[in-house]
Amino acid sequence: MAKNVKGEDKDMGKVAIYPGSFDPITYGHIDIIERGLEIFDKVIVAIAENEEKRPLFSVEERIRMVKNCVKDTPNAIVDSFKGLLVNYVGKTNAKVILRGLRATSDFEYEFHMASMNRSLNTQLDTLFMMTSKDYFFVSSRTIKEVARLGGAVEGLVPDLVVRRLKEKFKLPVPKKRGIGWDD
Ligand code: PNS
């Protein structure tokens, strides 16, 4: 396999890094991971430790949730990183950053971030995938707000995440057991 083709490497094939806070992971994220794997041989889900964003879930909790959600997707690798994304990407075989794009409101932030990352490493490209129509309104921020106020987020995040949100916000956790309810 040619070494100079974007994101390709002799051993691992085409690798993309899918970075984010994943605080928490949603079905919108999972949709991007699965569709990313239609294009790339491996997708590394890179969870930013970013304590300055005051995440609801610790990095360990986020890693555990993401690992559980992709446990049946062998080519999705879960990792975490501190500091600059480009420095982390530089330690991997990836040349492509994968990001989901929901609406025009995402565009400016994403455009700045992709441009800054490209300026920091001219070998890096960012590939945007439009979020599926079922999830274009889903964000970790709104999921946390709705869950905190006792609203239903079932169907928008995996069952395990529903449970972890309820535990975090000290809301009653139903006895129900479903697929993925436990980790
Ligand atoms: O899910 P998010 O919070 O939109 O993800 C943002 C993330 C983690 C991808 C971004 O904040 C990031 O890359 N942080 C690492 C620090 C960095 O490299 N910043 C410069 C990019 S402009």
Side-chain angles (χ1 to χ4, degrees):
M1 204 178 281
K3 264 237 163 187
N4 59 351
V5 176
K6 292 250 159 186
E8 291 193 358
D9 182 85
K10 268 205 286 240
D11 302 317
M12 290 188 74
K14 281 184 281 176
V15 183
I17 301 284
Y18 180 37
S21 303
F22 302 98
D23 184 42
I25 186 165
T26 70
Y27 277 134
H29 293 129
I30 293 171
D31 173 58
I32 298 292
I33 296 168
E34 287 175 351
R35 284 165 52 217
L37 281 167
E38 303 276 327
I39 302 172
F40 296 96
D41 299 305
K42 283 206 164 49
V43 170
I44 301 176
V45 184
I47 304 173
E49 294 202 18
N50 55 9
E51 289 308 315
E52 70 288 349
K53 279 199 180 175
R54 298 172 152 269
L56 175 66
F57 293 99
S58 70
V59 70
E60 291 79 18
E61 289 171 320
R62 285 179 279 150
I63 291 171
R64 207 161 160 201
M65 279 188 283
V66 176
K67 277 193 172 164
N68 184 278
C69 295
V70 300
K71 64 178 184 298
D72 297 324
T73 313
N75 292 331
I77 295 160
V78 183
D79 197 8
S80 63
F81 72 100
K82 267 188 192 159
L84 280 178
L85 175 62
V86 290
N87 291 347
Y88 171 76
V89 178
K91 293 180 201 148
T92 71
N93 300 315
K95 293 279 178 284
V96 176
I97 295 169
L98 179 64
R99 291 282 289 175
L101 205 54
R102 281 169 305 208
T104 49
S105 52
D106 278 349
F107 179 78
E108 198 172 340
Y109 167 63
E110 294 294 340
F111 177 71
H112 280 130
M113 201 157 65
S115 306
M116 177 57 84
N117 285 333
R118 179 125 177 113
S119 138
L120 291 168
N121 180 345
T122 52
Q123 303 296 304
L124 269 184
D125 259 319
T126 302
L127 178 78
F128 293 102
M129 294 186 93
M130 299 301 294
T131 305
S132 294
K133 64 174 175 33
D134 295 342
Y135 306 118
F136 74 89
F137 61 95
V138 177
S139 71
S140 299
R141 188 174 58 81
T142 51
I143 289 289
K144 282 182 282 193
E145 181 165 338
V146 171
R148 182 173 56 83
L149 298 171
V153 292
E154 281 84 353
L156 304 177
V157 294
D159 283 354
L160 174 69
V161 177
V162 174
R163 178 180 176 161
R164 292 284 172 262
L165 283 162
K166 286 186 192 296
E167 287 167 355
K168 212 37 119 176
F169 294 126
K170 309 219 178 323
L171 294 165
V173 179
K175 291 266 181 288
K176 177 195 118 179
R177 294 202 167 269
I179 297 164
W181 189 245
D182 292 309
D183 65 346

